[in-house]
Amino acid sequence: MSGISAVLCGDGTSAAPAVRQLTAAQSHRGPQGSGYWCGDAVALGHQHNCTLPEARGRSFPRQVDGVVVTAALRLDNRAELCAAFGVASEVPDTDLVAHAYRRWGVDYPRHLVGAFAAVVWDPERRRLVCARDHMGVKPVYYAETADGGVALASEPGPLLGLDGVRSAPDEHRIGDFLVGRFADSSRTFYEDVSRLPPAHRLVVTDDGLDRTRYWSLSEVDPLPEAHRSAYDERFRDLFERAVADRRRSVGPVGSLLSGGLDSSSIAGVAATQRAAAGAPPLRTFSAVFDTVEACDEGRYIDAVLGSGAFDPHYVDGDGIGPLVGLDRHLDHRGQPYYPSLCMLIWRLFEVAGQCDTGVVLNGYGGDQTMGSDVRGYLRGLLGRGQLPTFAREFRGYLDNYPWLDARDALWDDIARPLVPDRLRRLYHRRFDEADYLDMAFAPLDGGFARRSGLVDRIAADQRRGQPRTQRAIRRRALTTDEPAFNLELNDIAGAAHGVEPRFPYFDKRLVEFAVALPPGHTVSDGLDRTIVRRALADVLPAAVRDRTDKAEFSPNVVYGLQRYDTDLVERTLADGEPAVGRYLDGDALANAVGRLRNGLTASDARTLAMATTLERWLQRIPS
């Protein structure tokens, strides 16, 4: 994962010292070295991790066509761009950004396909233009400095070392973190540091900063009805291209393999493509669970491995706790995170890095792009009055997910979201603050929840309700802050180990296709992702293709916290007065710590892991 930095000084002084400071603080992102470009009160920096063949032997940042560019990127529409600009096919992706800017100005990111965080300095217009890719795979953080200028970087922590950028915690963001609320893609845990949201550009001139969205799923027009086979074929074409584009690399490419539908589909297609090209077997990286058998997906992993040419590698999924390496993780991330999400990905990338696998394909995004929309489909059928089809699909839904209670599923999953907004608002009039606080992940301090506006935000979310159609539920899944947050976790974990994660299911072309599909093409007889199951029937082994369940890892979080992290939690939360007492209910937190060695619940484990992470981060911040 390459790293970028840029500084534009507001008082006309040299930006070179600041950009060198930012670049040095991201040295782990540049195994192939660093580079700088310095101009009049502006400077760009680059830490180079060469994963693309066109970037070999090049120096960065690049001066091309009268502009200067630093970028962490991979462009997937290279052939089209090279043809449009009349340039040689071997030019690096960064040069194509320069040409795109010259052709389309600040609208250039609309014409790119891939993953990118790019900064363009236009000396003629004295304009700095930064863009983040459509899905947010490549992160960008920025802050306004004491001299009235702006600084940008691939990570938030380095910006805190600049004059005028404080490390004061953002209580709004802390509150959202503690309730698992993903609603703001621009905030970080620091008041003075912002994130550039996915599909946004930031233009900096002498007149100030202008942040604008350049692309939206609302622009995607629905596709017309067509025979199912036509859309199956189209999905397969797009998916195979998404995987092939992400296999472009100067070194070995691997793939995470959990045994789920998403990772298995990627690994299966990638292995098939490599075999057709005469390449060595695909390296896979999987977590196995010998002790916490409820989390083990070994039989599905084995089914995939038995269906093609693979070189498997494993990590002991229940051999680490959720807080393993917590302080090191915070060193790299610079912000709190959800340990249950990070514990395995960090270890998997570590093993990949040890195997000299510089690119790792990742199935994250499959849920958001192609799945988890059965409920939206059922709501749409009921809302449109298509009762016979609804009855058939609802019976299939219950058959495929037998642990569901029919009455609860009908009301909670389908009917309640269709309640008119006016009635929902009337219903919520009977709710008070305590009702909303009970909806939080962690036991909140009431005073904090009030002063940070968190109670009002939770109440507004509840009154707003849920999406009412299949298309709406998919759009929400793709446009909340949750994907960007998780992509940033992957980026940090990958950069720490010299690994670049790539996400075929977040291919812009595939995402637009999924959002445009007519209702029902990804659901059949109450089963989701049927288009994936049908289109890749010859790639997916039957055991995976017919799965209706997903592994639930909370038992491993409970086990790992008790087995490996008890002392750390007790030292952090039970000794003295923890700083998290400003945000969490002290008595409830103490009770959860008391159950750590005996009687720990999944809810307790989640609370203690979040609280410990937040506390260790707060201890790092100057008071």
Side-chain angles (χ1 to χ4, degrees), residues 314-612:
Y314 301 95
V315 303
D316 186 359
D318 45 27
I320 56 175
L323 299 177
V324 64
L326 173 59
D327 290 324
R328 184 184 175 208
H329 293 189
L330 289 172
D331 285 342
H332 282 278
R333 176 153 175 77
Q335 302 183 92
Y337 60 93
Y338 296 114
S340 59
L341 296 177
C342 202
M343 58 186 291
L344 293 179
I345 201 71
W346 187 275
R347 180 71 180 118
L348 288 164
F349 285 163
E350 182 179 30
V351 172
Q354 292 168 352
C355 296
D356 194 31
T357 307
V359 170
V360 175
L361 307 180
N362 190 321
Y364 181 62
D367 277 348
Q368 293 83 355
T369 302
M370 300 307 305
S372 301
D373 59 352
V374 178
R375 293 169 299 171
Y377 179 51
L378 292 171
R379 292 170 197 168
L381 290 173
L382 188 60
R384 293 189 297 271
Q386 297 174 257
L387 299 184
T389 305
F390 170 81
R392 183 186 71 246
E393 292 288 347
F394 185 63
R395 284 194 300 270
Y397 183 49
L398 297 177
D399 289 342
N400 286 310
Y401 307 99
W403 56 86
L404 294 174
D405 177 82
R407 184 174 299 177
D408 289 345
L410 180 60
W411 172 243
D412 292 333
D413 291 349
I414 303 163
R416 185 165 63 178
L418 299 178
V419 171
D421 292 342
R422 183 175 59 85
L423 294 180
R424 183 180 294 107
R425 287 193 293 269
L426 288 173
Y427 172 76
H428 275 273
R429 285 183 180 178
R430 68 185 185 88
F431 280 54
D432 59 20
E433 177 183 293
D435 294 315
Y436 291 120
L437 292 180
D438 285 343
M439 299 175 184
F441 274 4
L444 297 172
D445 174 77
F448 161 68
R450 285 189 295 273
R451 73 172 181 267
S452 65
L454 182 57
V455 173
D456 294 336
R457 296 198 298 278
I458 297 173
D461 290 343
Q462 293 298 314
R463 288 192 290 266
R464 188 178 302 115
Q466 301 177 42
R468 296 175 180 176
T469 65
Q470 183 182 20
R471 191 173 193 227
I473 204 171
R474 181 168 287 139
R475 282 177 54 183
R476 175 177 287 191
L478 288 163
T479 55
T480 70
D481 184 42
E482 185 171 5
F485 182 85
N486 286 319
L487 289 168
E488 290 158 7
L489 281 178
N490 275 268
D491 174 84
I492 289 289
H497 298 105
V499 170
E500 180 180 339
R502 297 180 180 176
F503 306 87
Y505 275 105
F506 278 140
D507 184 280
K508 172 181 176 283
R509 298 158 297 193
L510 186 62
V511 167
E512 290 180 334
F513 169 76
V515 170
L517 275 173
H521 281 272
T522 59
V523 176
S524 180
D525 295 324
L527 184 65
D528 75 340
R529 275 181 271 205
T530 50
I531 192 171
V532 180
R533 302 172 197 267
R534 292 190 307 265
L536 301 178
D538 61 326
V539 174
L540 294 167
V544 175
R545 189 173 64 244
D546 298 336
R547 283 193 71 173
T548 59
D549 64 326
K550 281 180 76 75
E552 209 284 299
F553 291 103
S554 59
N556 193 50
V557 177
V558 174
Y559 172 80
L561 205 67
Q562 291 184 307
R563 175 70 176 81
Y564 305 105
D565 298 329
T566 297
D567 289 344
L568 174 61
V569 173
E570 290 179 340
R571 287 198 316 271
T572 303
L573 299 179
D575 294 347
E577 295 292 331
V580 291
R582 301 197 296 265
Y583 310 114
L584 295 171
D585 182 283
D587 291 338
L589 185 61
N591 290 336
V593 174
R595 291 188 291 269
L596 182 58
R597 296 181 182 271
N598 185 23
L600 187 72
T601 67
S603 178
D604 288 336
R606 182 176 58 202
T607 294
L608 293 176
M610 282 198 303
T612 303

Side-chain angles (χ1 to χ4, degrees), residues 169-218:
D170 186 325
E171 290 200 338
H172 183 116
R173 183 68 188 90
I174 290 172
D176 285 353
F177 169 75
L178 291 173
V179 301
R181 187 173 181 272
F182 296 98
D184 193 331
S185 297
S186 63
R187 287 182 180 270
T188 72
F189 285 84
Y190 303 101
E191 287 186 356
D192 286 1
V193 179
S194 299
R195 304 148 72 200
L196 185 62
H200 279 69
R201 66 170 181 258
L202 181 72
V203 179
V204 186
T205 66
D206 292 338
D207 295 328
L209 280 66
D210 177 38
R211 192 180 72 199
T212 307
R213 173 177 285 278
Y214 65 79
W215 174 82
S216 171
L217 286 174
S218 62

